């Protein structure tokens, strides 16, 4: 892999371990509207997709029009649980420290709305490390798996797509990065990655380089530093 100037992180499932919470809230809220779907099914259909895409998919499959009341209920439940339960992905601060030391920039480009991204980063102590370089699907015409968001983020960061590396956890995000002409790594260290729907979705995109511990990111983007007393080979 060529050296990269910019790392573009997805947020949910990559920076914060939010996917199990989000899938739980989505299935519960759909259940209030008479739609029964388990978290496996929700992951297969909606993981990594923008709210606008989820609304369209639910309408097409179930005939349910997601209105403001539905969205407000779901948002209130989700944000309450995020404030109480959300945790950062282990090792993310170590990874960011390493990128900073290597002189590599980073940003976040997520299918979530800007308000939710800010809450996730704030609740896990990372907002200062990403602000103001936070990009949401609400800023572009088409969410993932379209390439619009990643191309927008790269443009705002003044970086060519070929100089970007995307860190994603969802099939939709991986497809979006590829469509944008960017290299992409699959992060499989989130607690939702045990879902069979998730594993099947990634398997369909193989061969794909994947890693399951955020500290390992530095091996892909920065040279491994030898201890001072260890001679070169």
């Amino acid at each position: 892999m060529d050296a990269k100037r910019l790392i573009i992180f997805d947020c949910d499932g990559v920076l914060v371990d939010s996917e199990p919470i989000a899938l739980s809230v989505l299935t519960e809220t759909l259940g209030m509207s008479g739609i029964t779907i388990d978290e496996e099914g929700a992951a297969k259909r909606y993981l990594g997709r923008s709210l606008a895409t989820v609304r369209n998919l639910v309408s097409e499959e179930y005939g349910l029009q997601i209105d403001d009341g539905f969205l407000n209920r779901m948002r209130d439940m989700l944000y309450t649980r995020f404030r109480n339960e959300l945790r950062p992905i282990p090792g993310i601060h170590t990874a960011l420290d390493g990128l900073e030391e290597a002189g590599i920039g980073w940003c976040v480009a997520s299918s979530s709305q800007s308000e939710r991204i800010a809450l996730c980063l704030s609740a896990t102590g990372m907002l200062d490390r990403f602000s103001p370089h936070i990009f949401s699907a609400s800023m572009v015409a088409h969410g993932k798996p379209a390439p619009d968001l990643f191309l927008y983020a790269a443009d705002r960061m003044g970086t060519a797509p070929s100089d970007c590396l995307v860190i994603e956890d969802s099939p939709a995000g991986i497809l979006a990065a590829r469509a944008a002409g960017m290299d992409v790594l699959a992060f499989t260290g989130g607690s939702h990655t045990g879902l069979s729907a998730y594993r099947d979705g990634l398997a369909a995109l193989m061969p794909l380089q994947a890693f399951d511990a955020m500290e390992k990111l530095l091996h892909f983007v920065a040279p491994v530093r030898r201890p001072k007393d260890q001679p070169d080979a």
Side-chain angles (χ1 to χ4, degrees), residues 29-76:
T29 312
L30 287 172
M32 294 176 182
S33 298
I35 295 174
T36 301
I37 182 173
D38 60 17
E39 291 181 21
E40 286 274 4
K44 182 176 182 179
R45 293 168 174 81
Y46 312 126
L47 188 65
R49 297 182 181 271
S50 67
L51 179 58
T53 301
V54 172
R55 293 177 78 164
N56 290 337
L57 292 173
V58 169
S59 177
E60 291 171 5
E61 186 168 2
Y62 298 105
L64 173 66
Q65 301 300 318
I66 294 181
D67 58 16
D68 289 344
F70 181 102
L71 293 177
N72 289 335
R73 287 193 301 274
M74 185 170 69
R75 186 179 297 111
D76 289 346

Side-chain angles (χ1 to χ4, degrees), residues 23 122 189 197 225:
L23 290 171
S122 177
R225 292 173 172 79

Side-chain angles (χ1 to χ4, degrees), residues 3-8 104-107 150-165 180 182:
K4 302 300 178 182
R5 294 177 49 219
L6 178 68
I7 308 301
I8 303 179
I104 299 171
W106 66 80
C107 66
F150 290 138
L151 292 173
Y152 178 78
D155 180 69
R156 291 295 301 269
M157 297 294 291
T159 307
S162 59
D163 288 330
C164 299
L165 174 65
M182 300 177 181

